[in-house]
Each structure stands twice: as structure tokens, then as C-alpha cells.
Amino acid sequence: MQKTKQIFFKTDEEVECIRENCLIVSKALALVASLIKPGITGAYLDNEAETLIRDLKSEPGFKGLYGFPATLCISVNEGVVHGIPTKQEFKDGDVVSIDCGSKWNGFYGDAAYTFALGNVSEPVMELLSVTKTALYKGIEQAVHGKRVGDIGFAIQQYCEREHGYGVVRELVGHGLGRSMHEAPEVPNYGRRGRGVLLKDGLVIAIEPMINLGKRDVVQSEDGWTIITKDRKPSAHYEHTVVVRKNKADILSNHDLIEEQIKNNPEINEIFAKN
Ligand code: MG
Ligand code: MG
């Protein structure tokens, strides 16, 4: 992916614009959370999400970006990220990563959530819980004065060392603003105290992509979807945050999604660990 090398720190006004985009994304994912179940197709969800985003006077952030054809990236089971919505119905036991972007007023927003449909096996539920927890471990490090490597280290340490999962190397989080993907890259692996210095006003998307098996990924035949090489399931959670002193401000909103999951009997709640 092409990325600008320059790091842009955002004014408070720009941050509010990005927050608005992230709220639109969160509303679209909340709508998805209310609709998704076995028997539903990704193509249907994509259409619903696009309609909502346009009703909110925004534009889908991914559609047309690098030529991507849809509003949502939908990656099922061994799908890691960048899956194209299809007319194939979801099945009981599927885990479905859904990533969404918005573009409004010259800025972007970005967030993702992995949904567990029906009878998902215990090891896969654990993968989702650990991946969601890892996201917050990364966010804890996104404070003024730390470095990008601190975020990656926290995520890698927790997922790889403590849980034995595969941390995807080829795909990373990113700066975000007037472009969906800006500098710096935010890997989910790294060394403490290394990499770009995090400063107040830096907006980044943190998005652990964690595999139940090995870390290796390959591109599927559709030319877009990234899948695990060993075909074992993968999980993905993402927030856009702004680096602040003492504590990052999370601009996207998973609570809206989780309120809908609570009301959707076919979707399992995913709990972060203490
Ligand atoms: Mg995303
Ligand atoms: Mg992203």
C-alpha cells in the first residue's frame, strides 16, 4: 500500500472530524451487529452499511481505495483481512471480521470487529477474547512520549509469548487523517522503546491481526482476501485513537456494536480479559 512518509499531527478540530468519521463507522458496524447471523450474506451487510453511511452524509472509506470494490472488508474464519463481501451465506460457527471506513469532510475513520456466529469452538472464542484484549494493551501504550515499538511489543508479548498465537507481520496498523493510510506504520510486533516517537495529536489505527495457528499469511485467489497459510482461524479488532498525554483517546466506539450484539441471540459476546 502507498503511504505518505510524512507524519501529520492533528489539530483538535481535525481530531473531531476524524471522531465524527469513526462514529459513522461505529454506527455502520452496529447495524451490521444487529443484522449478522447464519444465513445472511456479506453482500447484504455491505449494501446495508453503505446505505447507512450515505444516509449519514458520508462516503464509504474503502470503496475505490486502491480499487477495493466494497464498503466493508469481510474476512471469514481463515480470512485475516481485506475480504470482499460475497453472496455466500454465513454458517453457524463462523467467525467474521468486518472492517469499515468512512470519509467525510476531507478526513477518514476506521474500525473493525470480529463477530462469533452461533456455536463457535472454545479455542476460537479464546482467540477472539485475547485479540480484543491485545487491542487495549496496544492502546495503553499509545501515549505521548512512548514509541510505536511499545505498542507492537505489548501486543506481540501478550499474543505470542503468553498465548502462543501467530502475530501477522505483513499487515499493520497505520496513521490516519486526510488519507486512510498515513505514516507511521503501527506493527503488532516490535521492540520496546524503538520506532517513531508518539506525540500528542498523532492519530493512529491500532489493529491486531492474530492467528490461532502460525503467523504466515497468503493472498487468496480473488486477489484481495488475505488468509492464513495453515487455514486456521484469525481474529481482528481495530480502533482509531489519538495519542494524548497519559492516556489515548479512543475515537471509534465498540460499545455501540456490543449493545447490538447483546440483543442479537445468534452472536456471542466477546469479553476482554482483565
Ligand atoms: Mg480497518
Ligand atoms: Mg485500519
Side-chain angles (χ1 to χ4, degrees):
M1 277 178 193
Q2 290 180 329
K3 296 188 185 77
T4 47
K5 290 255 171 76
Q6 191 185 343
I7 294 176
F8 300 99
F9 296 93
K10 274 71 181 182
T11 64
D12 289 350
E13 202 175 325
E14 289 171 332
V15 167
E16 290 317 309
C17 217
I18 296 168
R19 193 193 307 275
E20 186 62 30
N21 274 290
C22 288
L23 184 61
I24 291 164
V25 165
S26 302
K27 286 177 178 172
L29 289 174
L31 176 64
V32 163
S34 73
L35 298 172
I36 190 170
K37 61 181 180 180
I40 287 287
T41 71
Y44 168 73
L45 294 179
D46 190 70
N47 189 56
E48 293 294 310
E50 177 170 359
T51 300
L52 179 72
I53 288 169
R54 295 193 189 282
D55 284 349
L56 295 171
K57 308 295 176 216
S58 185
E59 285 173 45
F62 297 156
K63 203 167 193 176
L65 190 67
Y66 316 112
F68 189 76
T71 294
L72 302 174
C73 293
I74 301 185
S75 310
V76 183
N77 297 330
E78 72 271 22
V80 180
V81 286
H82 301 169
I84 298 173
T86 71
K87 289 185 174 166
Q88 193 165 348
E89 294 180 358
F90 301 128
K91 302 182 303 298
D92 183 79
D94 280 348
V95 288
V96 183
S97 155
I98 302 194
D99 198 338
C100 185
S102 159
K103 186 184 185 186
W104 168 79
N105 210 11
F107 286 87
Y108 283 91
D110 190 10
Y113 201 93
T114 300
F115 299 90
L117 278 60
N119 295 298
V120 173
S121 73
E122 197 48 51
V124 177
M125 287 300 289
E126 175 75 4
L127 170 72
L128 267 50
S129 177
V130 167
T131 305
K132 183 174 150 173
T133 307
L135 169 60
Y136 292 96
K137 288 188 179 288
I139 291 171
E140 268 175 29
Q141 300 296 318
V143 293
H144 181 88
K146 294 235 181 202
R147 289 181 182 270
V148 160
D150 292 311
I151 297 172
F153 178 83
I155 294 170
Q156 184 182 13
Q157 183 76 7
Y158 182 65
C159 295
E160 224 170 61
R161 286 277 180 89
E162 292 184 33
H163 291 277
Y165 295 141
V167 174
V168 174
R169 301 297 202 272
E170 290 84 349
L171 300 137
V172 295
H174 50 93
L176 176 149
R178 289 189 184 276
S179 301
M180 175 62 83
H181 299 109
E182 293 183 353
E185 292 193 340
V186 183
N188 297 302
Y189 56 93
R191 294 171 67 183
R192 253 190 295 211
R194 297 294 179 91
V196 168
L197 185 61
L198 303 174
K199 288 195 272 190
D200 191 85
L202 178 66
V203 175
I204 49 175
I206 301 177
E207 48 180 317
M209 290 157 255
I210 308 298
N211 300 343
L212 185 63
K214 297 216 160 60
R215 73 189 200 198
D216 309 85
V217 296
V218 292
Q219 193 167 52
S220 76
E221 284 162 11
D222 65 22
W224 279 105
T225 318
I226 305 296
I227 60 174
T228 58
K229 196 175 175 194
D230 61 15
R231 304 294 195 270
K232 290 186 179 171
S234 183
H236 177 218
Y237 291 87
E238 177 180 30
H239 270 308
T240 299
V241 309
V242 58
V243 172
R244 294 299 191 203
K245 303 211 167 74
N246 304 319
K247 194 167 189 257
D249 184 358
I250 302 176
L251 303 176
S252 41
N253 186 331
H254 282 182
D255 291 343
L256 292 176
I257 301 166
E258 289 171 352
E259 281 166 24
Q260 294 305 318
I261 290 176
K262 276 199 182 114
N263 293 325
N264 183 336
E266 314 218 38
I267 305 302
N268 298 291
E269 290 183 68
I270 308 297
F271 299 101
K273 292 167 179 293
N274 289 322

